[in-house]
Every structure is written in structure tokens, then in C-alpha cells.
Amino acid sequence: MDRITTSTLNRYKREGRKFAALTAYDASFAAAFAEQGVPVLLIGDSLGMVLNGDEDTLKVTVEDVAYHTRAVSKGAPKALVIADMPFMSYATPEQAFDSAATLMRAGAQMVKLEGGDWLLDTVRGLTQRSVPVCAHLGLTPQSVHVFGGFKVQGRGDDAGKAILDQALRLQDAGAAMLVLECVPTELARTVTEALSIPVIGIGAGPHTDGQILVMHDLFGITSGYIPKFAKNYLAQTNSLQAAVAAFVEEVEHGRFPGPEHCFN
């Protein structure tokens, strides 16, 4: 796999080429994912739930994410490595700059932040300081207690328009990528078509530029609640490598997600 950069993903979008992404937390899995052609790896604060057994992502620290970022970046040196900014690590622009510096020094090529208009100055400041930003709208897990649970966002004309408007403003502020999580399929299509930057979906239907899953959901080893948008690829293959290859192939050819994984 050639080195993947933001320019690579921008070219994919212009060409209409869909791409796969996965969460990763260590060097071994990162290497295995890259070998199967996964171009984008996210060190998600989901590690709090899938690795540490917490009920949400709120206990994860910048140091936690930096530790796993160092491992992933060594295992997959040619992938685009994105690091999540954990809960309350970017409450002010200055705090965001410090947190991002730690994660970039650990090996990230981009940081991801959850939220809309309140982050515009932070996104501008990070971009001006040479830190690429992935924005995250829709269901933002760090806001789980505000939402009252893990619920689909953007239903209804007003809520959908609010997400679209925020996405455009984040792009204008300098965001280089957007994750849309748990939003209606048609809203995700509208946002993806309106933006010039790549949009990665999770529970956002088949029309986004890329698709991401938590690796544990891909392998069907998530304990407890299994999201509607997840698919157990290990159940239909005979190895971890084959499961990843099947995910990449289905995403690239537009076969994942299917209607059963989408929200109306």
C-alpha cells in the first residue's frame, strides 16, 4: 500500500472511489489491517469501552490515546492514522493545541474532535498550526449524557439542516475530513454531496465516501449491545485477515452498509 495522506483521500472523493477505515489499538492489528488494504486507521476513544470495559468513552485520557497511537503508527506506517481527542481534552482552543501536540508527536497524522459550531475557532487554530482535523457530527459519543443515550441524530428537517450547516461551517473553518455517526441515510447523502472534503460514515448509510467500523464489531467480539450498523465479517470468513479483506471489498464496491444497517 502506498502512503495514504489527506491528498489521497481527496483524490478518492473526486474519483468516486469508496474506502474503508477501522479502529486499531496496537501494532499487530494495525499491520494486519494495512496488509489487507485498509487505508485509514483510527485510534478511537472507543478503547475505553472495548479494551477497558467502561460503559462509555468518558474516562479515556490523552495519554491513553497517545500510548495506542504510538503502537498503531509503528504497525502501519503507510496508513493515515487519526487519533481521537478524548472527552474534555479540547474544552478550550489552548487545551486542544496542547492535546493535539501530544497526539501528533505520538504518530498521528490527524486528530478527531466531536462537536459543531462551538469548535470552529479550535478547528481554525489547529489548522493554522499545521494539525489536520477530522470533525465528527451526528451521534457524538462523548455527549451521551446530553443525548440521553446512544440515539440516532438528525431526524426531521430542522435537525438535519442543523447538521448540514454545521458540517459546511466546519469545512470552511479548515476541517479536512468529517465523520458522520448514526444519522439518516438521506441526510448523510446530502452532507456528503455538499462537502468537498471526504465524509466517513458509521451508521450513516452507503452514500458517504468512506465507512468505518470498530474492529471488535467487525469480528463479532463486542460484548453486550451490538449496534445496528455493525456487521460480523468473521462469521462469514475463516480468518481475521479474510474478514478484513471482505469488509474492504464490500465497502469499495458499495455493498456495505446494506439497508439493514441504515437508519431512515
Side-chain angles (χ1 to χ4, degrees), residues 20-65:
L22 282 172
T23 64
Y25 313 97
D26 66 30
S28 297
F29 275 107
F33 297 163
E35 287 171 1
Q36 298 304 320
V38 180
V40 178
L41 298 177
L42 169 69
I43 298 86
D45 58 4
S46 51
L47 68 89
M49 302 173 74
V50 298
L51 299 186
N52 298 342
D54 296 329
E55 292 184 352
D56 52 44
T57 65
L58 305 187
K59 299 179 182 65
V60 176
T61 67
V62 172
E63 290 72 25
D64 292 334
V65 177

Side-chain angles (χ1 to χ4, degrees), residues 20-35 38-48 50-51 60 64-77 79-84 108 112 212-219 244 247:
L22 282 172
T23 64
Y25 313 97
D26 66 30
S28 297
F29 275 107
F33 297 163
E35 287 171 1
V38 180
V40 178
L41 298 177
L42 169 69
I43 298 86
D45 58 4
S46 51
L47 68 89
V50 298
L51 299 186
V60 176
D64 292 334
V65 177
Y67 172 87
H68 291 280
T69 298
R70 282 190 288 272
V72 169
S73 63
K74 291 175 183 177
L80 180 69
V81 175
I82 306 173
D84 256 343
K112 183 169 75 63
I212 188 166
L213 285 178
V214 173
M215 57 170 280
H216 295 70
D217 291 339
L218 178 88
F219 296 136
V244 176
F247 170 62

Side-chain angles (χ1 to χ4, degrees), residues 163-208:
I163 287 177
L164 173 60
D165 290 346
Q166 289 180 81
L168 290 167
R169 287 192 287 268
L170 286 163
Q171 176 179 259
D172 290 344
M177 191 181 302
L178 173 69
V179 167
L180 274 181
E181 181 168 354
C182 287
V183 301
T185 295
E186 287 307 310
L187 173 60
R189 184 206 292 265
T190 299
V191 172
T192 301
E193 292 176 351
L195 296 186
S196 60
I197 59 175
V199 177
I200 299 177
I202 178 167
H207 306 299
T208 54

Side-chain angles (χ1 to χ4, degrees), residues 97-181:
F97 303 157
D98 289 341
S99 299
T102 298
L103 297 177
M104 296 291 283
R105 291 187 184 115
Q109 285 99 51
M110 179 179 283
V111 298
K112 183 169 75 63
L113 305 86
E114 298 181 8
D117 288 342
W118 71 275
L119 281 174
L120 295 177
D121 287 341
T122 298
V123 172
R124 288 190 195 96
L126 286 168
T127 303
Q128 290 167 353
R129 289 160 177 80
S130 303
V131 179
V133 174
C134 177
H136 185 156
L137 293 173
L139 172 58
T140 47
Q142 292 173 18
S143 302
V144 59
H145 296 307
V146 175
F147 294 151
F150 296 100
K151 299 179 179 179
V152 178
Q153 302 297 305
R155 281 180 165 150
D157 292 343
D158 291 343
K161 185 177 185 303
I163 287 177
L164 173 60
D165 290 346
Q166 289 180 81
L168 290 167
R169 287 192 287 268
L170 286 163
Q171 176 179 259
D172 290 344
M177 191 181 302
L178 173 69
V179 167
L180 274 181
E181 181 168 354

